[in-house]
Amino acid sequence: MEKFTLVTGGTGYIGSHTVVALMEAGYQVVIVDNLENSSDKVLSRIESITGTLPVFIRADLRETTTITKIFEEYPISSVLHFAGLKAVGESVENPAKYYDNNIGSTLSLINAMKSSIVSTLVFSSSATVYSPSKEPPFDEEATRGPTNPYGMSKYFIEQILTDVALADENWSIGLLRYFNPIGAHPTGLIGEMPTGIPNNLVPYIMQVAVEKLEKLYIFGDDYETPDGSCIRDYVHVVDLARGHLAALRFLEGVNGTHVWNLGTGKGSSVLELVKAVEEAIGKPIPREVVGRREGDIPVVFADVEKASNELTWRAENTLTRMCLDHWNWQRQNPDGYQ
Ligand code: NAD
Ligand code: WQD
């Protein structure tokens, strides 16, 4: 019987791109998502790209009985766990919601996996677990110290999963710390669907580009960086998707917990990013420099040697390509999947 990979949060931004990569590599996929921050319209888009409609079950991961039934129904051999809430600002305003959803979902998933004897899991962690006191680049051993409840939820989940694998040597767990995912599938059929006004830089710029928003506010140009604006490690979502496949293959052969940064290893400033978008779309982005955003760290980029050595994975797409693909998606779908 064919084995399945369960993808939690598989209708979301990074999950949907990874579902495509999995299906193209011959994996059978079951998606579970409660559609809190995504649309089921992504499913037919995935079908357009891959030729196959993935199995989709609408459910909240915290409903352990429902999740256990999914494991009983499908011969699942591994899990990619993307489901979670990710808005940093909202997590500061409503920390309990974030701890309940992100940690509650993970505990429920672990319990369902334990009762079904499935023990291979890849978890979506984040560069936000690193302490801002460290100088970049951040390698996987860098001190951790998240500064908001969202980041703390990732930090706690990493610890929970590490303890689970310590207690039972059958578990194979991958913790993937993404840096700043941007871009979209080159077909423009799937991409990020922010609800309301975007918090993140690239979705915001793209809405300025389609004239849904008037101008970009650049949060500070007085940082100690070459052009004064903050530096981040932007990584193409399709490269991230490939990284999940590489991690899954690695975990098929080993036990224990393994952690990898997924980034490009290169930093780009806000001003460089704006320039790359302008080149991609062929018109200027109206902008205004305003004060710094609270909590922003001047420079963040990854040390990517561990993923390169152990997973033979490296990000391949340039910043220009990321901007072109993100623009292609935004232009074709100005209202997301609506
Ligand atoms: P997303 O919001 O597009 O996808 C997450 C999906 O999880 C959504 O489809 C949502 O409906 C679903 N979900 C949330 N809670 C659920 C629950 N209790 N039960 C079932 N489904 C639930 O986000 P994304 O950008 O694709 O991020 C995926 C993962 O990667 C998240 O865990 C996020 O924290 C992590 N991550 C994202 C970024 C980023 O910048 N996008 C960076 C680092 C880490
Ligand atoms: C990038 C740069 C802003 C918006 C966040 C989360 C992190 C991770 C990735 C999940 C910063 C500047 C932004 C705008 C701006 N997510 N900016 N004007 O903050 O690096 O990371 O997403 O794990 O946890 O915190 O990304 O895209 O919000 O900001 O000038 O309107 O763009 O100041 O320097 P960030 P971002």
Side-chain angles (χ1 to χ4, degrees):
M1 199 192 291
E2 289 267 21
K3 292 283 187 190
F4 282 79
T5 297
L6 179 72
V7 183
T8 81
T11 49
Y13 173 44
I14 307 168
S16 58
H17 288 82
T18 307
V19 166
V20 167
L22 284 167
M23 291 173 73
E24 286 178 344
Y27 285 80
Q28 304 251 52
V29 171
V30 182
I31 296 174
V32 58
D33 200 301
N34 64 2
L35 301 181
E36 169 152 6
N37 196 38
S38 53
S39 163
D40 59 4
K41 293 198 170 68
V42 75
L43 299 165
S44 59
R45 304 289 184 92
I46 292 173
E47 185 182 20
S48 300
I49 298 170
T50 64
T52 310
L53 191 66
V55 178
F56 172 62
I57 296 151
R58 183 175 185 171
D60 193 301
L61 270 187
R62 288 165 292 184
E63 296 160 12
T64 315
T65 318
T66 311
I67 306 305
T68 306
K69 281 198 189 120
I70 298 173
F71 281 97
E72 284 164 9
E73 196 172 335
Y74 296 91
I76 292 164
S77 57
S78 55
V79 179
L80 301 188
H81 178 32
F82 295 94
L85 300 174
K86 61 167 182 178
V88 172
E90 190 192 29
S91 82
V92 175
E93 280 158 27
N94 198 346
K97 178 178 175 187
Y98 272 65
Y99 290 127
D100 180 47
N101 190 74
N102 292 0
I103 298 178
S105 291
T106 307
L107 290 173
S108 171
L109 177 66
I110 294 167
N111 287 329
M113 288 176 72
K114 273 175 83 168
S115 54
S116 316
I117 326 178
V118 177
S119 52
T120 302
L121 175 68
V122 177
F123 172 62
S124 300
S125 190
S126 168
T128 196
V129 298
Y130 292 121
S131 164
S133 64
K134 163 81 175 62
E135 287 291 311
F138 294 89
D139 67 25
E140 288 80 355
E141 297 305 313
T143 313
R144 281 164 298 145
T147 55
N148 56 70
Y150 164 71
M152 285 305 287
S153 76
K154 294 291 177 189
Y155 175 83
F156 289 141
I157 294 167
E158 284 197 358
Q159 191 58 51
I160 291 166
L161 293 174
T162 303
D163 289 340
V164 164
L166 268 178
D168 177 352
E169 61 177 22
N170 288 312
W171 283 85
S172 309
I173 295 179
L175 309 175
L176 299 184
R177 294 182 185 148
Y178 318 146
F179 280 67
N180 287 57
I182 62 167
H185 195 268
T187 57
L189 286 169
I190 57 172
E192 185 166 17
M193 189 196 71
T195 46
I197 296 177
N199 299 309
N200 295 116
L201 179 62
V202 173
Y204 197 104
I205 296 180
M206 291 297 164
Q207 295 208 2
V208 174
V210 291
E211 293 172 16
K212 285 185 127 191
L213 293 169
E214 191 196 342
K215 61 180 162 186
L216 168 70
Y217 296 96
I218 294 177
F219 299 144
D221 66 352
D222 57 353
Y223 285 94
E224 282 186 31
T225 59
D227 66 20
S229 65
C230 286
I231 292 175
R232 295 289 181 272
D233 186 340
Y234 298 96
V235 56
H236 199 299
V237 66
V238 170
D239 280 327
L240 280 189
R242 282 195 305 105
H244 288 76
L245 247 75
L248 201 52
R249 288 184 179 131
F250 181 95
L251 293 173
E252 278 159 10
V254 296
N255 293 343
T257 304
H258 305 267
V259 53
W260 298 284
N261 285 337
L262 296 185
T264 62
K266 278 205 294 282
S268 305
S269 74
V270 174
L271 295 175
E272 284 168 342
L273 187 82
V274 173
K275 190 161 169 268
V277 173
E278 288 178 334
E279 280 167 10
I281 70 177
K283 59 177 181 176
I285 295 289
R287 95 257 335 236
E288 180 185 337
V289 177
V290 293
R292 294 180 177 192
R293 184 172 69 178
E294 204 187 318
D296 273 342
I297 303 167
V299 184
V300 179
F301 62 95
D303 181 320
V304 291
E305 286 313 303
K306 191 163 182 267
S308 173
N309 293 336
E310 295 183 356
L311 304 178
T312 341
W313 173 88
R314 268 196 187 270
E316 288 168 358
N317 287 283
T318 61
L319 193 64
T320 307
R321 183 80 246 167
M322 298 181 216
C323 294
L324 274 170
D325 286 341
H326 207 121
W327 171 236
N328 194 26
W329 150 256
Q330 177 73 56
R331 187 169 52 159
Q332 288 181 41
N333 307 273
D335 299 316
Y337 293 105
Q338 300 316 310

